[in-house]
């Protein structure tokens, strides 16, 4: 699994660098408190948003913090990180686990928001994503180390601005390429705490979903998933398996030709055609179609209104998932009045262009292809709790069975002296899966 000591020394180097920066970085602008949001319902909790400078040459990260609905002082603090790499965590806030869902007319409440049980920070990271920005031209080139470093600096400043939460339990959470962001940051926090660098953060653990973990395994598993869920044919699956070098996916690279003379790229093209217009984040949900009456629900409602026999069948039919929520979130966050309300710009400033995923960020290809098992192994003896979970409806960044078993193997390898002495049976559950490792009592759990 590589040289863990050199990995750790690099983390220490960046943690020490963070201390130097923290000494020179103060609060930015006026209060971060959000007084009201345009076209949004009233809420019983406090919200804060704004920028935090993370270096001396202009890199700044944008955050949006929502306190827990009830008794926030006793609730844990979660940091949420969307993946990409290069996609905004405001996507999590306004379309996934935040207190609001974007709609065509503004915002509505999410009945399953995480801030019912926790205080949640949504951080746009790295600089160049969403409202987060940089001024030095070379800062569009970024990788895992700088992302972790800047996030650690951010957290130190966040707790300086919100000292009432310093002693609360803290969890790093995320999804997708958060499979890199989340464990890397957890390790950086742990090492900074050990070195007594900056603000002590009461790290309890991390949670990551559909985690990008081991490229070769994640991507071969994705190909199997496409076939097993009737998105691709068996012949296309076999062609991808025969010709693609899954260790270099991101995107797929050609390895060899199949017996039919087709390349990996040829089979990828076949795969995309067979998959068609599917929602890659939820294959069982509708897709967003912009044309008039293209949405099946809208067409049926139109037919019902015109007196057709569909009227009774669809009179109460409403989709539980809005397939166009990404477009509606984009429209909302690009409104000038919204940007002023969340302190992304001042009253007299021009509106910024907000994109859910950065079109200009150049993220390290080497880091993208780096397996994360060494980081998990580095955290095994730290007391940090780890929760990895995966669903069954997403086309990309699957935490596959092969990765799951590899992670289990890493844990068992680390504690082989214990398991050599204790009879042990490992049972494989059916998906969707959730893998938990308790750092204090060294317990490995799985859940359906």
């Amino acid at each position: 699994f590589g040289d863990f000591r050199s990995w750790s020394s690099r983390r220490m180097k960046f943690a020490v660098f963070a201390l130097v920066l923290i000494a020179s970085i103060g609060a930015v602008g006026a209060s971060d408190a959000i007084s009201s949001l345009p076209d949004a319902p009233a809420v019983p909790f406090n919200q804060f948003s704004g920028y935090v400078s993370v270096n001396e040459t202009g890199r700044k990260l944008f955050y949006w913090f929502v306190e827990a609905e009830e008794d926030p002082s006793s609730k844990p603090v979660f940091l949420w990180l969307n993946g990409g790499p290069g996609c905004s965590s405001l996507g999590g806030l306004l379309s996934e686990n935040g207190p609001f869902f974007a709609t065509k007319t503004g915002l509505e409440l999410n009945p399953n928001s995480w801030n019912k049980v926790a205080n949640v920070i949504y951080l746009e990271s790295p600089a160049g994503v969403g409202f987060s920005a940089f001024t030095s031209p070379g800062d569009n080139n970024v990788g895992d180390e700088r992302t972790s470093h800047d996030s650690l600096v951010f957290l130190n400043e966040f707790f300086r601005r919100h000292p009432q939460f310093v002693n609360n339990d803290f969890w790093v959470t995320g999804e997708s390429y958060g499979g890199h962001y989340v464990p890397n940051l957890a390790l950086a926090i742990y090492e900074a705490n050990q070195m007594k660098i900056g603000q002590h953060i009461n790290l309890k653990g991390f949670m990551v979903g559909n985690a990008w973990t081991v490229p070769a395994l994640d991507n071969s598993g994705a190909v199997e998933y496409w076939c097993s869920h009737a998105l691709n044919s068996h012949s296309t699956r076999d062609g991808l398996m025969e010709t693609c070098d899954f260790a270099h996916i991101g995107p797929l690279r050609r390895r060899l030709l199949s017996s039919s003379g087709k390349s990996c790229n040829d089979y990828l093209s076949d795969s995309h055609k067979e998959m068609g217009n599917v929602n890659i984040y939820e294959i069982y949900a509708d897709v967003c179609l912009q044309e008039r009456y293209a949405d099946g629900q809208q067409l049926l409602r139109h037919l019902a209104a015109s007196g057709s026999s569909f009227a009774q069948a669809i009179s109460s039919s409403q989709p539980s998932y809005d397939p166009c929520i990404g477009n509606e979130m984009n429209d909302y966050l690009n409104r000038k009045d919204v940007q002023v309300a969340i302190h992304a710009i001042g009253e007299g400033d021009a509106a910024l262009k907000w994109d859910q995923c950065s079109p200009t960020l150049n993220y390290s290809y080497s880091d993208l292809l780096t397996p994360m098992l060494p980081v998990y192994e580095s955290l095994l003896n730290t007391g940090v709790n780890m929760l990895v979970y995966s669903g069954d409806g997403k086309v990309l960044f699957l935490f596959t069975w092969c990765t799951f078993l590899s992670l289990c193997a890493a844990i068992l390898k680390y504690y082989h002296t214990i398991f050599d002495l204790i009879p042990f049976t490992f049972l494989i559950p059916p998906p969707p899966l959730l893998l938990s490792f308790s750092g204090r009592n060294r317990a490995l759990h799985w859940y359906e």
Side-chain angles (χ1 to χ4, degrees):
F1 294 117
D3 187 341
F4 306 130
R5 289 173 295 181
S6 63
W7 185 284
S8 180
S9 67
R10 291 201 305 274
R11 294 294 171 193
M12 286 297 183
K13 176 182 69 176
F14 276 87
V16 172
F17 186 35
L19 177 62
V20 176
L21 295 178
I22 290 163
S24 64
I25 293 173
V28 179
S31 169
D32 291 347
I34 297 175
S35 58
S36 64
L37 290 170
D39 297 319
V43 293
F45 53 86
N46 295 321
Q47 302 180 74
F48 303 84
S49 61
Y51 292 100
V52 169
S53 294
V54 293
N55 81 336
E56 296 173 327
T57 61
R59 287 202 307 274
K60 58 182 182 180
L61 301 183
F62 184 84
Y63 81 101
W64 190 328
F65 175 52
V66 293
E67 291 187 359
E69 287 188 3
E70 297 180 358
D71 195 18
S73 63
S74 69
K75 300 292 172 59
V77 176
F78 289 179
L79 174 70
W80 174 262
L81 299 168
N82 276 78
C87 293
S88 168
S89 296
L90 299 191
L93 173 71
L94 299 181
S95 70
E96 296 178 331
N97 55 37
F100 304 110
F101 284 150
T103 70
K104 293 178 181 178
T105 58
L107 301 179
E108 65 181 17
L109 293 177
N110 173 9
N112 301 307
S113 174
W114 281 16
N115 83 319
K116 293 183 180 297
V117 296
N119 306 282
V120 189
I121 310 164
Y122 295 88
L123 178 65
E124 293 192 306
S125 173
V129 173
F131 295 118
S132 295
F134 54 80
T135 56
S136 297
D139 277 350
N140 71 309
N141 299 307
V142 62
D144 287 351
E145 286 186 343
R146 200 186 81 196
T147 298
S148 294
H149 160 261
D150 285 1
S151 296
L152 181 60
V153 177
F154 162 81
L155 288 173
N156 274 265
E157 174 59 16
F158 172 84
F159 285 114
R160 193 191 70 78
R161 296 188 192 184
H162 304 276
Q164 69 272 30
F165 295 106
V166 164
N167 295 319
N168 294 49
D169 290 350
F170 181 79
W171 291 78
V172 187
T173 67
E175 66 181 10
S176 193
Y177 197 77
H180 280 227
Y181 294 158
V182 170
N184 279 335
L185 179 56
L187 182 58
I189 293 170
Y190 172 79
E191 291 178 336
N193 284 345
Q194 292 298 108
M195 296 283 289
K196 295 181 171 47
I197 295 171
Q199 172 63 53
H200 179 88
I201 297 172
N202 190 22
L203 178 67
K204 291 300 178 182
F206 71 78
M207 299 180 283
V208 61
N210 288 84
W212 179 251
T213 307
V214 182
L217 300 178
D218 291 346
N219 286 294
S220 61
V223 171
E224 293 287 1
Y225 174 93
W226 301 341
C227 182
S228 66
H229 287 69
L231 297 172
N232 278 173
S233 65
H234 283 82
S235 60
T236 296
R237 185 273 311 271
D238 293 344
L240 289 170
M241 288 294 190
E242 183 181 356
T243 62
C244 296
D245 181 358
F246 292 113
H248 293 89
I249 295 174
L252 284 162
R253 285 184 172 179
R254 179 184 303 168
R255 183 174 64 185
L256 45 81
L257 296 179
S258 69
S259 55
S260 64
K262 296 175 70 172
S263 70
C264 175
N265 288 339
D266 293 329
Y267 284 111
L268 268 181
S269 179
D270 292 344
S271 172
H272 294 160
K273 290 175 183 177
E274 291 174 359
M275 202 173 295
N277 186 16
V278 65
N279 184 337
I280 64 172
Y281 299 107
E282 173 51 271
I283 64 171
Y284 305 113
D286 291 337
V287 296
C288 181
L289 301 174
Q290 296 298 324
E291 297 81 11
R292 184 173 176 82
Y293 302 138
D295 183 322
Q297 290 285 338
Q298 183 177 346
L299 173 59
L300 291 178
R301 287 192 292 272
H302 171 68
L303 293 173
S306 66
S308 79
S309 59
F310 286 106
Q312 185 175 359
I314 67 162
S315 59
S316 61
S317 175
Q318 293 293 332
S320 59
Y321 169 77
D322 178 4
C324 296
I325 194 170
N327 295 350
E328 293 152 4
M329 175 179 63
N330 186 79
D331 292 343
Y332 188 78
L333 290 173
N334 276 291
R335 289 172 48 174
K336 181 175 179 179
D337 59 341
V338 172
Q339 294 183 8
V340 171
I342 62 176
H343 314 125
I345 61 171
E347 285 279 1
D349 297 333
L352 299 172
K353 176 68 168 65
W354 183 89
D355 290 301
Q356 185 170 3
C357 295
S358 172
T360 58
L361 203 67
N362 181 27
Y363 208 89
S364 168
Y365 191 81
S366 174
D367 288 351
L368 183 72
L369 300 179
T370 299
M372 290 301 295
L373 294 183
V375 180
Y376 281 90
E377 187 159 347
S378 295
L379 286 164
L380 284 176
N381 202 35
T382 63
V384 173
N385 299 292
M386 296 178 276
L387 175 66
V388 183
Y389 57 95
S390 183
D392 189 43
K394 187 178 179 182
V395 170
L396 299 176
F397 290 160
L398 298 166
F399 184 75
T400 66
W401 274 113
C402 292
T403 313
F404 171 73
L405 294 175
S406 296
L407 182 54
C408 291
I411 295 172
L412 299 183
K413 174 187 175 185
Y414 192 85
Y415 292 107
H416 69 277
T417 54
I418 297 175
F419 290 112
D420 282 347
L421 302 175
I422 302 174
F424 180 78
T425 302
F426 183 73
L427 301 177
I428 301 177
L433 63 89
L434 182 152
L435 173 67
S436 170
F437 178 76
S438 175
R440 296 203 176 276
N441 59 19
R442 309 293 189 266
L444 177 66
H445 309 283
W446 60 261
Y447 308 87
E448 296 182 30

